[in-house]
Amino acid sequence: MSNIEKEIAELAHPELPNHNDEECLALAEKLMSQMTLKEKFGQLFQLAPSNANIEGLQWQETNDFNDLIKQGLVGSILSVADIKEIYQLQKTAVTQSRLGIPLFFGYDIIHGCHTGFPINLAMACSFEPKLIERVAQVMAFEASHNGITMTFSPMVDLVRDPRWGRVMESNGEDPYLNKLMGQAYVKGFQQDSLSSYNSIASCCKHFAAYGMVEAGREYNTVDMSERELRQYHLPGYKACLDAGASSIMTSFNIYNGVPATANKFLLRDILRNEWGYSGFTISDYTSSYEMLDHKTSANEREVAKQSILAGLDHEMVSTTYIKYLEELITANEVNEALINEACLRMLTFKYKSGLFDNPYKNIYANVDQYYLTNNSRQLAKEAAIKSIVLLKNDNQTLPLKPTTKIALVGPLGKTNELVGAWGGLVKNESCVTVYEGLVNQFGQANVQFAEGCNINDNDSSLFEQAYEVAKNSDVIVLAIGESQTMSGEAKSRAYLNIPGVQNELARKLKSLGKPIIAIVFAGRPLELEWYQNNVDAILFAWFLGSETGDSIADIVSGKANPSAKLAMSFPYTVGQVPVYYNQYKTGRPSATGKYSEFRSCYIDVPNYPLYSFGYGLSYSKFEYSNLQLSKKQISGKEKLVAKVTLTNTSSIDGVEVAQLYIECKSFSVVRPVRELKAIQKISLKAHESKELTFEIGANDLAYYNIDMEFTPEDTDYIIYIGGCSNANISDNFSYNS
Ligand code: BGC
């Protein structure tokens, strides 16, 4: 054992006091009274040792960033996950800096720390916030036993453009679902107390509207009306803050011409003044430096000034604060009170996190025992099963009988590269492949594999071999799609096709005339029209993480019944993008058929998506009937009660996600064609019926009106309930204030 290992083995983890907010504030204030100005700047800096560009720092004595830590010039550390390294950095801060202020350690734990859960967009398809909360708890447990204090999650950027590589990290296109999921992540990460040994702090991101980068191009411009911003995009962030998120990260994009990292409207007017948020703001990576590229700051000194004035507290990677804040204060260009405010937030957070009580609280010996446990794997499997969307299933092709002879064909059949982007510390080796899963379920003798082609090149030399394997089977299971590196940050695509020659492979196999089941992997919605028209069943598998193969096999064999619904619409073609269910009402809408050809339309594809938000099949069949409203009119704070009967008309037990949408019949501004307002996930035995009860009140009907007030107007509504955003069982009611 090395000395460090010995020291780590001796660390104790006694119960920590749970200071309330006032106590933390008072402790932070007291500490601040002993701090020099420089030490205060230090609390505003997050150092990334892997990208420590500390040249040109005023107080640099050596080239070693440990020196900065000793001088109290570092507040937190980014992306270090090695326990020994974390211990050493913390020890330096605590024992060698003048005031011994502990560092906090931030890391991107997005959909898994060591146990790989499905990508976030996939888990959003579960429509089950409780599941998300449980998943976040496991992520927090693994991360908090890996030296990590804070995760930069959840990402609640609302998305509509699958070309953007980061849709995989999102909760999809709907503001209501996004809110539910965002809150569930925050609750799961932080649990009841930040000082608990099992929780980590949550930093939601990217404030604001990063999901709307123009044309899906990474780091691109965002420009939209304030109404659009408030109605669709801000609620996700607000929900996370209401749930107690410790921090919020600014986005790379501009909003209304100003980079988000120095955007006073976002960071001060909305976040502090309107919402009264008291946690800290952090920039995204080098988003401060990037103001030089945006050309809104002429130099780093201006970056620092604009950012602190706008309300940025903590700089990630960029060093403009520790370089220039002192000079700006001396020149009377920045008021010291702003530095005090920011520093106070940082220290208050550290007190809340228990770091002053035990700076080594997240450091343990023999850590492997905490990771990838049977329980966490089991939850990963449950999450994966609940994320897989059944898009098509003609003639009950699925599930397959146990004796079916399967030809598994495709480049994703035997690979374990199934974690998905932003996989934290999850290893590919933890992932069960599709082949392994099918063999476990159907037996080695019943599963033949052929790769057929690679994911993304033009090589068709393996087609023949795949054809031969497929010839001898009862059914062809295609495992196709994107590689896990084709989505994520800076992974925008202009095409939404299944890449390489995979479509050609599918066409060739189609000529055999055998049933084909396509299992499609991707970090984004893809164009699937050919598959919809030509194969028998489609399972959309996203990236499912550690339990990929077993969860797919459970669904293919019928051990599990699919229940997921799309959290993001799938276009027919990239040319329709953005295409989403809750679009504004237009003049000459396509559906009415008025004005014959002169209406909102394409001449080559429909206006609507191939698969819309909320869509997803089950092996069971569900029917909605007998919608009854408690009243035809509600007033003031009264609630409308809607009851509907849901019946499983099939002989297979199943789970349905019932969705309630409203349509506003007239308002002072144009509203979406439909708005999701409630969901319920219900288990139904074969042939069972249940009566579902929903409640709708004024707040559900409210919208940013012509004067930008969030209010319900006195008007008429249609209520729709069903298993998809095009649910067609409906009734009318009106609201009167
Ligand atoms: C991403 C953030 C992430 C940060 C730190 C940035 O490039 O945009 O989402 O939290 O890196 O890793």
Side-chain angles (χ1 to χ4, degrees), residues 78 108 152 166 205-206 249 252 284-285 316 422 489:
L78 172 65
D108 293 283
F152 302 112
R166 299 192 81 165
K205 65 193 188 186
H206 306 83
M249 186 188 291
F252 284 122
D284 191 358
Y285 218 77
M316 184 188 277
W422 285 116
E489 185 175 350

Side-chain angles (χ1 to χ4, degrees), residues 46 78-79 106-108 110 151-153 155 157 166 169 203 205-206 210 218-219 249-252 283-286 290 316-317 422 489:
Q46 178 161 84
L78 172 65
S79 291
Y107 206 92
D108 293 283
I110 308 295
T151 176
F152 302 112
S153 174
M155 181 182 107
D157 304 325
R166 299 192 81 165
E169 262 178 274
C203 169
K205 65 193 188 186
H206 306 83
Y210 180 32
E218 188 61 290
Y219 312 128
M249 186 188 291
T250 66
S251 50
F252 284 122
S283 68
D284 191 358
Y285 218 77
T286 46
E290 287 157 32
M316 184 188 277
V317 179
W422 285 116
E489 185 175 350

Side-chain angles (χ1 to χ4, degrees), residues 591-604:
T592 64
K594 261 193 281 176
Y595 304 111
S596 63
E597 68 186 285
F598 293 101
R599 57 198 173 87
S600 173
C601 67
Y602 295 103
I603 57 172
D604 44 9

Side-chain angles (χ1 to χ4, degrees), residues 467-480:
Y467 191 84
E468 289 308 312
V469 168
K471 238 181 180 170
N472 300 319
S473 67
D474 301 328
V475 48
I476 302 167
V477 173
L478 283 176
I480 51 177

Side-chain angles (χ1 to χ4, degrees), residues 154-202:
M155 181 182 107
V156 279
D157 304 325
L158 194 90
V159 297
R160 291 173 181 163
D161 193 332
R163 290 173 295 183
W164 192 46
R166 299 192 81 165
V167 300
M168 50 82 37
E169 262 178 274
S170 79
N171 300 308
E173 73 192 32
D174 179 70
Y176 174 74
L177 185 65
N178 190 31
K179 261 169 42 175
L180 294 183
M181 296 307 186
Q183 289 195 311
Y185 280 108
V186 175
K187 279 192 211 153
F189 287 135
Q190 301 198 156
Q191 298 156 48
D192 293 334
S193 162
L194 284 186
S195 64
S196 143
Y197 281 107
N198 297 336
S199 68
I200 52 173
S202 156

Side-chain angles (χ1 to χ4, degrees), residues 265-320:
F265 171 71
L266 293 174
L267 300 184
R268 235 174 245 294
D269 300 352
I270 292 189
L271 193 68
R272 301 294 180 201
N273 300 341
E274 252 182 62
W275 295 354
Y277 182 57
S278 62
F280 70 91
T281 55
I282 181 169
S283 68
D284 191 358
Y285 218 77
T286 46
S287 64
S288 300
Y289 287 153
E290 287 157 32
M291 285 183 241
L292 300 173
D293 298 313
H294 281 118
K295 307 287 177 201
T296 46
S297 312
N299 49 47
E300 287 189 29
R301 189 178 182 279
E302 257 182 47
V303 170
K305 178 174 171 181
Q306 290 165 349
S307 309
I308 195 81
L309 292 179
L312 178 75
D313 298 325
H314 204 61
E315 263 193 330
M316 184 188 277
V317 179
S318 307
T319 50
T320 75

